[in-house]
Amino acid sequence: MDIFQVSDMKEIRGKVWKFGDDINTDLMYPQICYTLKEEEKPYYAMSANRPGWSKLVKKGDIIVAGKNFGTGSSRPAADNLKNLGIACVLAESINGLFLRNSVNSGLLSLGVPGISGRVNEEDIVKINMEDNTITINNDTIKFTPLPDFLMEIIENGGIINILKNKKLLGNPL
Amino acid sequence: MNTIEKILKNHSIDKPQEVSPGDIVTVNVDKAIIVDMAALHPEFINNPPIKPFDKDKIAIIFDHFVPAPNIEIANRVDKLRKLARLWNITDFYDIGRGGISHVLSSEKGWLKPGSIIANTDSHTISTGAFNVLGRGLGTPELMGIIATGKTWFMVGNTININFENKLPEKSSAKDIFFKMVEQIGDIPNDNIEFHGEGIKYLDMDQRSSISTMCAEMSAEFAIFPFDGILSNYLEAHSIHNVNPIYPDNDAIYSKTYDMDLNEIEPMVAFPDRIINNVKPVSEIGKIEINSAIVGSCANGRLSDLKDIAMVLKNKKVNRNVRFIVTPATMDIYNEALRLGYISDIVESGAIVTNPTCGACLGGHMGVSSENDVVISSTTRNFKGRMGSPASKIYLGSSRTVALSAVNGYISGE
């Protein structure tokens, strides 16, 4: 499986999958994932609420969701989305723990109030990271960027890479 | 500044005069807690931190999968035992010695008012009952904290919730939380401070139940004030010389909500979500159940076991219902044994498991089938949370669960 890695991000362009409010971590990373092989895990994402979806996702696709995206557990839910190929999550609001986990896994997630009413499924969305705008068809939305230190984590592919670079991590147990 | 802002300021490595919403602060962490689930994160096993920043500020606790339900998990968590030896960790709690990390943290005296706790479990917000800021964090982030002792927080807006009056006998702290959710909804990145004279009627178990459940509103922190009840708890656990934090007189709250606790009746959350999905039990009609669960960091405490023992004494669990009770810690289990709660529960036809998160996360000790309709006093009712995605999970107080287990349908009285 390809791991979609964004580095030196200037523009992200992708096809939209739409989700509603309160999409929780257990939907993204069901209990069964804990003991599966890494490459099998992503295919269980959203299997309870949207069976079959994970097989349709293409590398570079974008999730647009409602309020309170990622509510729930500290489990590596963002990893499942990233490893499925999702390039970015745009949501009305994002749970604080999910946002941290997303950044730490190298997946860009942005809280963009108003986004879900202005985007339809299968729209092509263009996220310009230099002027902080999202363009859908002829519509443009301004967004508040993540702080620089969080973007740096994402651009490094996640916090593990940074900890490795600082020589803080050791040998397998 | 309010209480939360003051604790963040006090821990900031940059020593600012004050902090306010929108600021990002890098803070020193007073205790970093790793639970057994961390061993299921491949990075932790493959690339553990070389050494902890301070071994006495690290705790390793087995709670989610106690005892290990399969070979894979048994092998993984065994590596944590190796790590505990490697790092010479004093605060290591294996099977039979501890319990659910959030509850154990209070019993062990790690929740000193005014401190900051990091834990790999998402219900760490529970520490707020103790005038402590706690945050659940992903395992990779905890790996950074173990190595450096530091993390960051964005200072959020804080809402003020005033509790007035006393909860009726028939109602529980969980019902207060459900009423809060009904009024307020989700608040990602915002904090909660509880105030009001109604707090003096809430014991530490009740406050902990409420603060724990605030994770389900996506609150960042949810904190109770320091008072005589908390002070007595700390004294009883030999914790002296504490440094509680109080809000300034001109503290800023983005919004204030008043709640009359006397008006709160038993409530239930319907399956799949809590937000916009709670109702008073008196208004739901007859919903039959076949599974009942009491436990978790929110409601596996001694007062929960007392509540259900009072309901179950000299009664039988309905023949169509399986009732599983999971105390949160070994201390609670032992105390409930001594007080006779366990025999009241077991004689009714319920079973009592060892302390663990157990059925709450659907890993073992009560996994739900596709035909199950569950009433549970645990923390979450996400679709598929406790087992089959086709099972239906209703949430209520422990008392509501016990009444329902006896009647065979969801009951608040």
Side-chain angles (χ1 to χ4, degrees):
Chain A
M1 180 179 28
D2 285 326
I3 303 291
F4 188 78
Q5 197 111 328
V6 187
S7 56
D8 192 22
M9 294 188 297
K10 290 194 174 69
E11 182 182 295
I12 298 169
R13 181 197 287 266
K15 195 185 77 171
V16 167
W17 295 102
K18 282 211 56 191
F19 286 84
D21 293 339
D22 306 312
I23 297 298
N24 66 68
T25 52
D26 298 38
L27 295 175
M28 301 175 209
Y29 190 101
Q31 156 69 23
I32 188 176
C33 288
Y34 279 112
T35 48
L36 293 175
K37 291 194 174 76
E38 287 304 309
E39 61 272 22
E40 293 171 3
K41 292 179 180 182
Y43 294 107
Y44 288 83
M46 312 293 190
S47 55
N49 57 329
R50 204 163 169 178
W53 172 77
S54 65
K55 294 246 160 66
L56 303 174
V57 175
K58 298 224 163 47
K59 185 174 151 179
D61 286 355
I62 289 171
I63 286 177
V64 174
K67 288 192 313 163
N68 198 22
F69 188 85
T71 188
S73 138
S74 57
R75 64 188 65 193
D79 293 67
N80 257 9
L81 301 183
K82 182 185 171 190
N83 293 341
L84 207 51
I86 297 293
C88 176
V89 173
L90 305 172
E92 294 286 326
S93 59
I94 298 177
N95 171 282
L97 174 54
F98 180 84
L99 181 73
R100 300 177 86 107
N101 281 340
S102 180
V103 167
N104 288 327
S105 296
L107 175 67
L108 179 66
S109 291
L110 295 168
V112 187
I115 185 82
S116 63
R118 291 161 76 167
V119 180
N120 295 310
E121 183 135 311
E122 297 195 18
D123 277 350
I124 302 294
V125 164
K126 197 174 77 182
I127 305 162
N128 186 321
M129 301 299 291
E130 289 182 315
D131 65 6
N132 303 319
T133 58
I134 298 169
T135 309
I136 321 111
N137 304 321
N138 294 320
D139 192 8
T140 300
I141 306 173
K142 206 73 176 140
F143 66 87
T144 308
L146 293 177
D148 289 345
F149 79 103
L150 295 184
M151 284 309 297
E152 194 185 319
I153 298 174
I154 294 172
E155 283 161 9
N156 275 282
I159 193 172
I160 295 290
N161 290 342
I162 292 177
L163 295 172
K164 279 181 184 165
N165 289 340
K166 289 183 177 167
K167 310 228 179 300
L168 293 171
L169 303 183
N171 297 323
L173 287 167
Chain B
M1 287 182 287
N2 59 44
T3 310
I4 291 163
E5 290 161 353
K6 283 169 92 169
I7 297 175
L8 290 172
K9 186 208 81 147
N10 292 348
H11 285 74
S12 170
I13 61 168
D14 296 322
K15 310 227 174 296
Q17 285 297 308
E18 67 175 54
V19 303
S20 56
D23 290 352
I24 293 167
V25 289
T26 300
V27 297
N28 290 307
V29 169
D30 297 303
K31 192 94 180 175
I33 298 170
I34 305 156
V35 301
D36 52 359
M37 293 296 268
L40 301 184
H41 196 289
E43 296 291 356
F44 195 80
I45 293 301
N46 294 336
N47 307 290
I50 293 173
K51 65 180 176 66
F53 76 102
D54 178 344
K55 79 170 192 72
D56 292 326
K57 290 186 175 176
I58 309 285
I60 299 180
I61 301 170
F62 283 26
D63 60 6
H64 282 68
F65 290 116
V66 172
N70 58 47
I71 298 169
E72 174 71 14
I73 292 175
N75 285 337
R76 295 277 198 116
V77 298
D78 198 44
K79 294 187 190 275
L80 272 187
R81 294 191 179 100
K82 187 176 167 188
L83 193 70
R85 284 194 298 272
L86 194 69
W87 289 349
N88 193 21
I89 298 291
T90 310
D91 288 324
F92 170 50
Y93 291 91
D94 204 330
I95 292 174
R97 286 164 211 143
I100 302 178
S101 70
H102 310 302
V103 187
L104 191 70
S105 298
S106 59
E107 292 173 355
K108 295 296 170 194
W110 304 336
L111 306 185
K112 295 191 176 66
S115 58
I116 293 183
I117 307 282
N119 180 327
T120 48
D121 187 83
S122 58
H123 285 110
T124 310
I125 193 170
S126 67
T127 59
F130 291 79
N131 200 241
V132 169
L133 297 190
R135 182 111 198 50
L137 298 166
T139 296
E141 186 163 356
L142 244 293
M143 290 163 68
I145 295 174
I146 291 164
T148 65
K150 295 176 180 58
T151 192
W152 61 274
F153 291 109
M154 167 110 56
V155 183
N157 288 313
T158 302
I159 65 170
N160 174 24
I161 300 180
N162 275 319
F163 289 152
E164 301 301 335
N165 298 322
K166 201 176 168 187
L167 200 60
E169 284 279 306
K170 64 178 181 182
S171 303
S172 304
K174 192 82 159 240
D175 303 315
I176 299 176
F177 171 74
F178 288 139
K179 195 70 191 172
M180 270 169 54
V181 171
E182 190 181 56
Q183 277 192 23
I184 300 167
D186 60 301
I187 53 165
N189 307 311
D190 285 0
N191 309 307
I192 301 171
E193 280 190 31
F194 296 103
H195 296 106
E197 57 91 32
I199 287 176
K200 69 173 183 247
Y201 303 115
L202 299 173
D203 64 24
M204 291 313 299
D205 280 8
Q206 291 173 306
R207 295 177 194 189
S208 299
S209 175
I210 294 168
S211 59
T212 303
M213 290 303 292
C214 287
E216 306 317 310
M217 297 168 74
S218 288
E220 191 73 8
F221 300 113
I223 198 162
F224 279 84
F226 182 87
D227 66 358
I229 291 170
L230 173 53
S231 171
N232 289 343
Y233 179 99
L234 297 173
E235 286 292 330
H237 288 76
S238 307
I239 303 154
H240 312 290
N241 304 325
V242 295
N243 183 22
I245 304 300
Y246 301 94
D248 293 332
N249 288 330
D250 59 351
I252 293 171
Y253 298 96
S254 57
K255 218 167 174 183
T256 291
Y257 296 87
D258 295 314
M259 290 184 67
D260 183 350
L261 301 188
N262 189 241
E263 288 178 357
I264 289 173
E265 54 180 311
M267 307 273 290
V268 64
F270 274 57
D272 297 351
R273 66 178 69 201
I274 296 175
I275 305 286
N276 294 328
N277 209 22
V278 295
K279 285 182 184 152
V281 179
S282 60
E283 294 174 14
I284 63 172
K286 190 169 181 178
I287 298 172
E288 292 190 346
I289 49 116
N290 56 14
S291 171
I293 309 278
V294 162
S296 85
C297 46
N299 287 94
R301 294 171 196 256
L302 191 64
S303 56
D304 294 283
L305 300 183
K306 182 184 181 185
D307 282 352
I308 63 175
M310 283 172 69
V311 172
L312 297 176
K313 195 174 177 69
N314 301 322
K315 293 214 177 69
K316 290 286 175 202
V317 171
N318 186 284
R319 61 196 300 265
N320 298 320
V321 178
R322 290 158 268 140
F323 191 3
I324 300 172
V325 178
T326 301
T329 66
M330 288 305 296
D331 277 5
I332 290 169
Y333 197 160
N334 278 316
E335 188 65 4
L337 266 173
R338 197 180 65 77
L339 293 166
Y341 302 158
I342 301 291
S343 46
D344 288 339
I345 294 166
V346 174
E347 283 163 15
S348 75
I351 64 165
V352 178
T353 75
N354 58 279
T356 173
C357 304
C360 182
L361 77 153
H364 65 153
M365 300 283 190
V367 177
S368 58
S369 81
E370 59 192 4
N371 297 315
D372 279 355
V373 181
V374 186
I375 178 76
S376 179
S377 69
T378 52
T379 60
R380 293 189 173 130
N381 62 348
F382 299 153
K383 197 177 185 60
R385 166 83 179 173
M386 299 177 82
S388 167
S391 60
K392 295 185 172 63
I393 311 165
Y394 293 82
L395 297 178
S397 70
S398 294
R399 185 187 281 117
T400 293
V401 173
L403 289 164
S404 308
V406 170
N407 292 336
Y409 56 90
I410 297 176
S411 314
E413 291 184 54

